[in-house]
Amino acid sequence: MMLLRNAIAALCCAGATLAAVAADTLPTSVSNALKSNKLAADGLSVAVLSLSDGKPVLQYQADKPVNPASTMKLVTTYSALGLLGPAWQWQTDLLADAQPVNGVINGNLYLRGSGDPKLTLERMWLWLRDLKAAGVTDIRGKLVLDRSLFQLPPETSFDDDGNGAERPFMVEPDAALTNFKSIRLLIDSTGDKVKLNADPPLAEVRVGNELAIGRGGNCEAWSQRVNQRLGQMNNLQVYVQLSGEVPPGCRVERYVSVMNAQAYTAALVRHLWRELGGQGISGWSEGATPDKAVVLASTRSPDVANTIRDINKFSNNMMARQLFLTLGAQSQESGDTPTRASAAIRNWLGQQGLRFDELTLENGSGLSRRERISALHMAQLLVSADRSRFGAEFISSLPIVAIDGTMKKRLKRDDVAAHIKTGTLKDVKAVAGYVRDADGVDWAVVAIANNPRAPLYGPVLDEILRWIANAPTGELAALRTTR
């Protein structure tokens, strides 16, 4: 009899716990994490949905439009799989007015930009090598950059939180963008003085070295004692200067963006062409490719499936923005390219039954103060993606908790099986993705903090992931059935 009473009491208590969570209430462990970090619960939005039927396990302020930071990339990349397909590629062409004669192009060389998000230094070298293989040795005209694919509104400045507009994550999109328009600075303090070299060594970029070897320190923290200064020397050259101290015995590097996209691409083409032994190219300009121009060499990008992996695993803003604009350029919508991209995404999501009235898209990367979506709608998008034809490609593009991407260093000591996209901005901290519970069942989870103290919400977001992963057998399924 005593055993029966205890069993009934246990069931009652369990029911009370489930009801409490099933209502618009945070789990106890999550509430405790908020309290221990002295954080406000009203800064948090959470949605956990069943992948089997889309029913909610937990909704906490889930309908409120919030800034999702880089988790907005999930909207862009899922839409790209649907609108372009996983095998779609960018093709960028080099063209001339006519075929070369005895190796000579008697006119301009046209670079027709495609918005390729990953036209790297290595691919550029191979591409120009193909141009030489096509019989070209001398270009007796200008390099003409055709950037017309993207019709962009006037640039608007972004509050970069003091991180510096020259950093690669701040690179602006462009149809003729190459190599992330970045210079890699190689710093070597293994000798008796610090060596500083730039790669690629563009003639248009002067590098100043005022670095000294320090008395000690950690190579991983080398940048804390190094100052960087950028500037314009004249109409043709820019400079980057590093000063300060580097710990002895270090080989480290830094990427900087010091030129606009068109000037960088022109400089890189000229540099690589000369490095390959090519002659000519008297200068560069911008313009449209003539209709009758002939293609001499082309380069094709990695496909969309691989591109979204780079975007989501490593939260690459520039690649996400290029992809977003490509969706606009490839659409039949009207307006400038960002407007067309936003409309194309909204229309496609609507076709999937996802009508998000609050959705606000600016550039599709989350590097925005304006973009908005609710936690519930983001979770519904995750459910839709899981059920879609290309669900495997989408899920595998997300960081694996404690293993790779932006989740590589998080939850290292916990047994959490999950694919999670992260998001971070000033006043924003977010996670969104898929978590597997103790029964081997996967759940869509979105948790977004919008608060001036958002960086401190990291442990709270991690606790939400733990709560799902460690839920006792059947608990989450029971919560779903109570809704």
Side-chain angles (χ1 to χ4, degrees), residues 413-479:
R413 299 180 180 179
D414 297 274
D415 186 16
V416 175
H419 284 77
I420 296 294
K421 178 74 192 77
T422 59
T424 303
L425 274 179
K426 182 181 180 181
D427 300 343
V428 185
K429 194 80 171 176
V431 292
Y434 305 93
V435 182
R436 180 162 296 175
D437 70 11
D439 296 325
V441 178
D442 293 336
W443 304 84
V445 57
V446 177
I448 302 172
N450 278 194
N451 187 279
R453 303 178 69 205
L456 302 178
Y457 280 77
V460 178
L461 304 186
D462 287 349
E463 183 54 40
I464 292 170
L465 303 181
R466 284 193 205 94
W467 172 71
I468 299 169
N470 300 326
T473 299
E475 180 176 302
L476 295 178
L479 283 169

Side-chain angles (χ1 to χ4, degrees), residues 76 78-85 88 327-328 330-331 341 344-349 351 390:
T76 301
Y78 177 39
S79 300
L81 284 172
L83 288 166
L84 301 176
W88 196 88
L327 297 181
Q330 295 297 318
S331 78
I345 289 173
R346 281 182 170 279
N347 290 339
W348 184 81
L349 290 176
Q351 293 168 16
F390 305 124

Side-chain angles (χ1 to χ4, degrees), residues 104-425:
V104 177
I105 294 178
N106 286 299
N108 296 326
L109 179 70
Y110 301 91
L111 189 157
R112 185 164 57 197
S114 67
D116 189 330
K118 199 177 182 182
L119 188 42
T120 60
L121 177 66
E122 295 81 5
R123 283 182 55 210
M124 290 286 289
W125 183 83
L126 289 170
W127 187 23
L128 289 166
R129 193 166 176 261
D130 288 344
L131 183 64
K132 285 208 74 179
V136 179
T137 58
D138 191 359
I139 301 166
R140 296 181 182 175
K142 292 182 178 181
L143 173 67
V144 179
L145 302 176
D146 186 344
R147 305 165 60 222
S148 61
L149 182 66
F150 292 166
Q151 300 297 314
L152 303 176
E155 290 186 13
T156 55
S157 61
F158 173 77
D159 176 9
D160 66 352
D161 305 336
N163 287 310
E166 76 283 356
R167 297 184 66 180
F169 81 92
M170 291 288 292
V171 169
E172 295 284 338
D174 195 281
L177 185 71
T178 58
N179 200 43
F180 309 103
K181 75 179 188 77
S182 293
I183 301 290
R184 182 168 62 129
L185 299 177
L186 304 166
I187 302 163
D188 186 342
S189 63
T190 57
D192 57 358
K193 63 179 181 179
V194 180
K195 297 178 182 177
L196 176 62
N197 293 298
D199 182 39
L202 302 180
E204 292 80 0
V205 180
R206 290 286 185 91
V207 177
N209 182 5
E210 295 186 0
L211 295 170
I213 296 178
R215 295 183 179 181
N218 185 344
C219 288
E220 293 185 0
W222 70 272
S223 63
Q224 296 177 4
R225 292 189 286 175
V226 171
N227 299 313
Q228 177 175 294
R229 194 157 59 92
L230 307 175
Q232 190 82 30
M233 294 183 65
N234 50 53
N235 291 335
L236 299 176
Q237 285 187 315
V238 297
Y239 71 86
V240 54
Q241 182 172 293
L242 299 187
S243 61
E245 294 185 345
V246 180
C250 298
R251 286 191 177 95
V252 292
E253 61 186 38
R254 169 181 288 179
Y255 288 84
V256 295
S257 171
V258 294
M259 307 168 75
N260 62 39
Q262 55 270 40
Y264 179 91
T265 294
L268 183 59
V269 169
R270 285 202 304 271
H271 167 73
L272 292 176
W273 183 241
R274 287 177 172 79
E275 194 173 69
L276 288 165
Q279 297 179 335
I281 305 182
S282 58
W284 69 275
S285 63
E286 297 181 42
T289 304
D291 292 338
K292 294 183 179 180
V294 294
V295 176
L296 300 179
S298 300
T299 180
R300 293 179 71 85
S301 72
D303 60 29
V304 165
N306 279 286
T307 298
I308 68 167
R309 188 180 187 277
D310 282 341
I311 290 171
N312 287 334
K313 290 277 188 187
F314 306 105
S315 206
N316 192 302
N317 292 315
M318 184 279 292
M319 292 182 69
R321 297 178 72 173
Q322 294 281 102
L323 178 60
F324 176 78
L325 291 173
T326 298
L327 297 181
Q330 295 297 318
S331 78
Q332 301 300 314
E333 306 293 340
S334 59
D336 60 30
T337 309
T339 300
R340 293 165 63 191
S342 181
I345 289 173
R346 281 182 170 279
N347 290 339
W348 184 81
L349 290 176
Q351 293 168 16
Q352 316 314 307
L354 303 172
R355 293 173 178 83
F356 304 156
D357 290 341
E358 85 290 356
L359 177 63
T360 304
L361 290 162
E362 183 177 22
N363 58 47
S365 74
L367 188 67
S368 167
R369 304 298 180 201
R370 295 181 55 246
E371 294 193 325
R372 294 290 184 274
I373 192 172
S374 70
L376 178 60
H377 284 162
M378 182 72 83
Q380 289 175 351
L381 180 140
L382 291 171
V383 173
S384 176
D386 174 71
R387 296 174 181 174
S388 73
R389 180 183 177 189
F390 305 124
E393 286 75 17
F394 179 76
I395 295 169
S396 65
S397 75
L398 275 58
I400 306 172
V401 167
I403 293 178
D404 69 7
T406 56
M407 286 296 295
K408 185 175 183 178
K409 296 182 180 180
R410 289 174 67 172
L411 296 166
K412 279 284 191 181
R413 299 180 180 179
D414 297 274
D415 186 16
V416 175
H419 284 77
I420 296 294
K421 178 74 192 77
T422 59
T424 303
L425 274 179

